[in-house]
Amino acid sequence: MPLTPSFPATLITRDGVRIDAAHTPPGGGGGDLGIVLAHGFTGSLRERTTRRIAHVLSAFGGVVALDFRGHGGSGGESTVGDLEIHDLDAAVRHARAIGYTRVVTVGFSMGGAVALRHAGLLKGVDGVVAVSAPARWYYRGTRPMRQVHWAIERPAGRLAARLGKGTRISRKPWDPVPPAPYEAAAHIAPAPLLVVHGDADAFFPLDHAHQIHDSARDPKELWVEPGYGHAETAATPALIRRIGRWAAMV
């Protein structure tokens, strides 16, 4: 099945970083709903998994997907969830500028952490969906996350990320350490929050989802998905349609 066509856009963040984005118009109802789609670490709006998710979500509203700084066609360097809130904010502001009166962010993994932090710290959205998101920083309790930290913290790891995935990671450590996603979740209300996590996630165990959900105030929901792995690559069309229906009800 061909994917819904999208139209490129170039955004500028409040701190001056050029962000590559794409707008997929709504394919059905929900003409007033804009869904801002935020990929995971080393991802891109051009990856087929992200494009497939945008295609499915476009049945419920228009979709604005972006490449975070240091990823894909965007400028700058990745700060792995800190300054990326400005990238997401630029995409949210763009969605409103092109006519969407309701805007819901849908983030996967790192993108989920950014969506939580954006909604809690900068506000400006009508709903938030965090899929496979970490609750806290510096988690090394699984082998995949130890590999991620190697890519972030070691020169050889940053080189491998640049050459293998085109991801440019900042060498500067966080100073100060930004508020964790679960801390930001406490400030999202009155916007509704949906936390989605798989019980087969190899990166972040379920306690991350529970910590985010427990920290948030109502309205909030937690979906624990049996057999679901991690982020975009494991997301089925059926799950994305359920997320789209939730966003359409916001």
Side-chain angles (χ1 to χ4, degrees), residues 9-43:
T10 300
L11 315 177
I12 302 296
T13 68
R14 295 188 188 277
D15 61 343
V17 178
R18 178 184 53 78
I19 297 298
D20 195 28
H23 173 225
T24 303
D32 67 331
L33 173 64
I35 301 171
V36 177
L37 179 57
H39 63 75
F41 182 58
T42 75

Side-chain angles (χ1 to χ4, degrees), residues 180-208:
Y182 83 90
E183 294 173 310
H187 305 287
I188 292 174
L193 168 65
L194 172 60
V195 180
V196 182
H197 215 95
D199 64 3
D201 193 315
F203 286 75
F204 304 112
L206 278 174
D207 71 283
H208 283 260

